[in-house]
Amino acid sequence: MSTPSAPCLAETDFKGTGIHLAVSGTYSTGKSTTTEALSLATGIPRTHAMTSREILVDLVPGKQVQDLNAMELMALGLRRLEERIHNESGGDAFISDGSVIHEWVYGQARLKVGINPGASWALRVVKTVAGLPVKRFYRNYGDAYGVLAKARAQRIYDAYVHLPVEFDMHADGHRPVSEPFRRLSDELLLGTVKELGLPYVIARGSVQERLEQIVDAFQLPLVMDVGEAVAEAMRRVAEATRILEEDDRVHEARRKKGIRQRVRYAMRY
């Protein structure tokens, strides 16, 4: 599908069911519920990468995101990128929960805020000092990653929907995220979407209000009532969360670490 160089929806002829649409948004913006509901309402398949928790139980057993060092975070980001590329490579229409730029943006935000933005001030200072010898490498790596991720986004997506920060962050004990980190990630995501030059809309309000704005903006067909789609999406997302929370491997990763183990994690960048 041809898209204009400027983000102007009025000049773009979207064909509804043929669209490759990416839904952008940082932590606790309702991205998964919105994409699930939009997929149900329009009949367009939803694609996504596994969550960090799902990947970590196999990639780094026994650890939560806040326990990871820089190399492990890099591996996590690459694993999610691999999943996105695989799931979006079929050529058919899709609605993507997130996009290939997301992990890159989170990495860039960590370079600014700290590798573990939800940690205490003292721990963030220790991490910053420990990372000084290798900071330049990760910055250069991030720059190269960004070039590749943005080029792919321009090739694969027709348009973006950005969900701004409007809801309180869900305190689930897993997200190692501070509010400044979340706000910075939101700014970087929207700035990158604008930089890509693809058409985009910013959808605000309740999940139902967002869906109505998106359907109208991109002329999407409806195969289910929007209200029913939202209710079913909320049920599915809640059920998926429940199943994950009951995974014994997730509980093992949450168990309090010993002092020696916590010090070792703190000293590794």
Side-chain angles (χ1 to χ4, degrees):
M1 177 181 296
S2 174
T3 56
S5 58
C8 178
L9 292 176
E11 298 174 0
T12 307
D13 180 23
F14 292 104
K15 300 185 185 301
T17 55
I19 196 170
H20 295 166
L21 184 63
V23 180
S24 166
T26 186
Y27 296 91
S28 290
T29 54
K31 196 163 66 273
S32 294
T33 304
T34 299
T35 53
E36 182 70 23
L38 187 59
S39 174
L40 288 168
T42 62
I44 301 172
R46 168 179 174 260
T47 70
H48 63 100
M50 285 196 298
T51 66
S52 297
R53 277 180 289 183
E54 290 173 308
I55 292 173
L56 288 181
V57 293
D58 293 317
L59 183 68
V60 195
K63 286 189 178 184
Q64 294 180 272
V65 177
Q66 59 262 40
D67 301 325
L68 304 183
N69 61 28
M71 289 296 289
E72 290 164 339
L73 282 166
M74 194 161 66
L76 173 62
L78 288 172
R79 181 69 181 85
R80 296 196 80 195
L81 176 65
E82 176 191 33
E83 281 226 330
R84 292 193 193 281
I85 291 174
H86 174 75
N87 293 339
E88 297 171 356
S89 62
D92 295 328
F94 61 76
I95 298 167
S96 179
D97 182 349
S99 77
V100 293
I101 65 170
H102 268 68
E103 280 64 52
W104 172 74
V105 163
Y106 291 149
Q108 293 299 99
R110 275 190 163 85
L111 283 174
K112 294 177 183 292
V113 175
I115 188 173
N116 186 351
S120 65
W121 178 85
L123 180 56
R124 282 187 284 118
V125 169
V126 170
K127 286 284 192 181
T128 298
V129 173
L132 289 176
V134 294
K135 208 67 170 285
R136 183 175 180 180
F137 164 78
Y138 286 113
R139 187 173 289 109
N140 291 340
Y141 169 84
D143 290 343
Y145 189 150
V147 170
L148 293 173
K150 286 184 276 190
R152 177 163 181 84
Q154 288 174 318
R155 290 195 307 271
I156 195 70
Y157 304 127
D158 296 317
Y160 266 86
V161 172
H162 183 72
L163 308 180
V165 173
E166 295 183 286
F167 311 131
D168 292 336
M169 187 162 54
H170 180 48
D172 61 359
H174 168 72
R175 295 174 173 89
V177 177
S178 64
E179 192 58 33
F181 177 87
R182 189 166 76 125
R183 297 281 175 176
L184 175 60
S185 298
D186 179 67
E187 292 173 9
L188 290 173
L189 279 169
L190 183 55
T192 305
V193 167
K194 292 178 178 178
E195 179 188 340
L196 294 174
L198 298 172
Y200 70 92
V201 295
I202 299 175
R204 303 178 185 275
S206 67
V207 177
Q208 179 159 341
E209 289 169 336
R210 291 172 173 181
L211 257 64
E212 291 167 350
Q213 294 167 40
I214 298 165
V215 167
D216 181 64
F218 297 106
Q219 306 161 39
L220 301 177
L222 290 177
V223 299
M224 179 186 289
D225 176 77
V226 169
E228 292 178 7
V230 171
E232 176 61 16
M234 288 181 172
R235 187 196 68 77
R236 290 187 183 189
V237 171
E239 177 64 11
T241 301
R242 183 191 66 77
I243 291 172
L244 182 59
E245 289 292 324
E246 292 178 356
D247 192 321
D248 289 339
R249 295 172 297 177
V250 172
H251 288 287
E252 174 61 29
R254 282 182 174 171
R255 290 196 178 98
K256 191 171 182 179
K257 312 295 189 299
I259 293 178
R260 180 180 298 178
Q261 197 170 27
R262 281 184 285 165
V263 169
R264 189 169 74 247
Y265 287 168
M267 297 304 295
R268 295 174 65 200
Y269 186 85

